[in-house]
Every structure is written in C-alpha cells, then in structure tokens.
C-alpha cells in the first residue's frame, strides 16, 4: 500500500525564462512525490495512484501541498480520490515530469493492490516550455514554426516508443490495475488577447501540435488501457475565451495550465467518463 513509496529525492531545478515564467516543464520533475489526499481511514485494499506531469499534479490551481512537485488538492487526481474515499490514494505526479522521470521516480506506490492508475505524460518530452517561449518571444513567425516542426518530428518518430515504455512499466509494476491515460487540451482560442500575445499563425501551430500529441498518446494508450480525451471539453474554454479553464501568461508560474474549473469540469469529467468504480460516492 502507501508504505511502498520511496523517500523524496532532491529536486532538480530546470531553467525557465524569467520574463515569462512559463512553467509547463520548468519546475522539479525528478522528485518521487508521495502523499495522500482526503480521509483514507475507510479505505479498502484497492488503491488509486496518480502519475505524470504538471497536468496531473495540479499546476495552475494553487495552493500546493508539495513545494517541489506542485501537487494541488484541486488537481483532478486529488478530487477523484476524495470522491472515492474507499480507494487509498498514492500521489506521485510531479510538475515537469517526462516519461523517463515517471519510470525512474514515480512507480514506488504501485503494486498488486493498485486497481487504478491515471497519467498525463508526453508534453514535457517535447520541450514544450521552450517551444512556447520561442513562439511568444520570436520576432519572426518562421522561428516559431521551426520550433513547432521540431516538436512534431519528435512526436512522429520518438514519442510513441517512450510512451510504450512508460505504460508497459506501469502495468508491470501494477499488474491488476486499469490504466487511464488522459490527454492535453489545445491551449489557445482563435482570438488574440493580452493573456496570450500570439498572432493567428502561431496560435494555430501551437494548437496543431497539441492535436498531434493527443493522437500519438491516444493511439498508443489503447494498447495498454483507456484514453480519456479532454480537448473537446475545453472547447470555448481556452486561453483568450470568455470563460477560460486555462491560465494565460498573466497567471505567472501557472501559465497554460488548467485552473480549478479546468481540472473539475475538464479533467475530472473526462476521467469519470471512462472509469466508474462501484465505490464512487458523488
């Protein structure tokens, strides 16, 4: 059960542009985050474990209960655990985590009692922070396009193998678990606004990269478990929409991550749509 988790390792600081403070991958990823959420006194032998990056740890919806990995009680994972109190909860998700980080540092909670695992991973493999920074600060559209093309090439050639490795390792460590892989939303509305000062070309390229990322994740995940897409739920709720479920760059370190509504009405709803344990108490 939860005692299987390893002790936290020292955080690895990753660089971030000081002027923008965009942190899709720019906070510690190597810590083996460990914690529980909610009252587990009534928990049975079934266990839910949340793995992955900032979109699972809850970046964008502070306050954070774990300073290194920026775990939030408002994350979809923590909310799901509270809604299903008979499932014990292992929270390993850590902001900035790549597929390699998950394999190296986040599998400590997993075991034969684990019945559900959720994960978001893959965005940080692309160097998405630096790509966004490039697209926001570049003088010429071509510079942004080059950065996006590099990310697309990684998605096409390298990412599927990385995803297969991490999904396979998760199920090897938790052979009785259902694996739910959640996707990512397109970030930007079609309209310009101060929260995302990007022209139409750059907004389109960034969103296209998210579409291709989700395709790679979804196509790979179906072999190992279930894919829970979130993008359609975020339609009309992207950065620059009237009712955004994502933070713009004016949110400083939470930029381009879901806010509370994004985690509750987007991610949690997507998870509930594909997994309904009999212990659910809504």
């Amino acid at each position: 059960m939860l005692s299987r988790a390893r002790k936290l390792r020292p955080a690895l600081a990753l660089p971030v542009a000081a002027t923008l403070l965009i942190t899709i991958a720019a906070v510690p990823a190597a810590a083996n985050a460990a914690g529980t959420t909610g009252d587990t006194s009534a928990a049975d032998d079934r266990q839910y474990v949340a793995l992955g990056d900032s979109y699972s740890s809850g970046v964008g919806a502070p306050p954070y209960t774990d300073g290194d990995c920026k775990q939030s009680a408002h994350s979809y994972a923590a909310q799901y655990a509270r809604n299903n109190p008979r499932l014990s909860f292992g929270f390993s998700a850590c902001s900035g985590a790549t597929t390699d980080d998950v394999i190296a540092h986040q599998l400590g909670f997993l075991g034969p009692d684990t019945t559900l695992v959720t994960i978001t991973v893959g965005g940080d493999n692309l160097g998405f922070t630096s790509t966004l920074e490039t697209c926001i600060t570049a003088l010429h559209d071509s510079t942004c396009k080059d950065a996006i093309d590099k990310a697309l090439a990684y998605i096409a050639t390298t990412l599927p193998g990385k995803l297969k490795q991490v999904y396979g390792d998760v199920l090897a460590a938790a052979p009785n678990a259902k694996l739910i892989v959640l996707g990512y939303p397109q970030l930007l509305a079609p309209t310009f606004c101060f929260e995302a000062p990007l022209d139409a070309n750059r907004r389109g390229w960034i969103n296209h990269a998210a579409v291709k990322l989700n395709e790679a994740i979804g196509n790979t995940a179906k072999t190992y478990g279930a894919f829970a897409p979130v993008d359609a739920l975020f339609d009309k709720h992207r950065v620059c929409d009237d009712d955004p479920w994502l933070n713009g760059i004016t949110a400083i370190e939470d930029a381009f991550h879901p806010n509370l509504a994004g985690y509750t009405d987007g991610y949690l709803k997507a998870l509930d749509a594909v997994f309904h344990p009999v212990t659910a108490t809504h």
Side-chain angles (χ1 to χ4, degrees):
M1 303 298 288
L2 300 187
S3 61
R4 287 193 297 269
R6 297 189 298 272
K7 185 178 179 180
L8 282 171
R9 295 182 48 155
L12 294 184
L14 300 178
V16 64
T19 55
L20 296 175
L21 295 177
I22 298 170
T23 57
I24 287 184
V27 289
N32 179 29
T36 59
T37 300
D39 180 9
T40 60
S41 59
D44 57 26
D45 289 335
R46 289 172 291 181
Q47 182 191 43
Y48 164 43
V49 177
L51 308 176
D53 57 23
S54 56
Y55 276 66
S56 287
S57 70
V59 171
Y64 303 114
T65 57
D66 180 280
D68 290 332
C69 288
K70 303 190 76 172
Q71 294 177 342
S72 170
H74 298 312
S75 66
Y76 77 83
Q79 291 189 63
Y80 189 87
R82 288 195 298 274
N83 290 346
N84 297 276
R86 294 190 63 82
L87 293 172
S88 62
F89 181 36
F91 200 5
S92 291
C94 191
S95 184
T98 65
T99 53
D100 289 345
D101 292 322
V102 172
I103 292 169
H105 306 296
Q106 293 189 16
L107 306 186
F109 280 137
L110 300 178
D113 294 333
T114 307
T115 53
L116 173 63
V117 178
T118 62
I119 188 170
T120 58
V121 73
D124 288 310
N125 285 62
L126 308 180
F128 210 48
T129 295
S130 60
T131 301
L132 282 171
E133 290 170 355
T134 296
C135 286
I136 291 172
T137 61
L139 293 177
H140 303 289
D141 280 358
S142 59
T143 306
C144 172
K145 183 63 162 54
D146 289 344
I148 295 294
D149 285 346
K150 182 179 179 180
L152 292 173
Y154 184 93
I155 292 170
T157 61
T158 305
L159 185 61
K162 291 287 190 178
L163 295 174
K164 290 177 182 178
Q165 182 180 12
V166 69
Y167 300 156
D169 284 4
V170 167
L171 291 179
N176 300 314
K178 174 74 172 181
L179 175 63
I180 309 293
V181 180
L182 294 98
Y184 297 94
Q186 295 180 63
L187 298 177
L188 300 159
T191 54
F192 174 88
C193 70
F194 175 73
E195 286 77 13
L198 296 154
D199 66 25
N201 286 335
R202 302 186 196 197
R203 292 195 302 272
W205 294 330
I206 291 170
N207 282 345
H208 177 66
V211 170
K212 301 307 289 185
L213 174 60
N214 282 323
E215 288 178 359
I217 292 171
N219 289 337
T220 308
K222 63 185 179 183
T223 302
Y224 297 87
F227 178 57
V230 301
D231 189 47
L233 294 170
F234 279 81
D235 188 34
K236 309 301 183 185
H237 299 289
R238 310 188 198 283
V239 177
C240 296
D241 276 324
D242 290 338
D243 180 24
W245 292 355
L246 292 155
N247 298 295
I249 63 171
T250 53
I252 313 298
E253 62 181 7
D254 297 329
F256 298 113
H257 287 78
N259 54 28
L260 176 57
Y263 285 119
T264 303
D265 298 322
Y267 274 86
L268 182 61
K269 186 175 180 179
L271 175 55
D272 280 334
V274 298
F275 193 80
H276 299 282
V278 295
T279 53
T281 56
H282 295 286

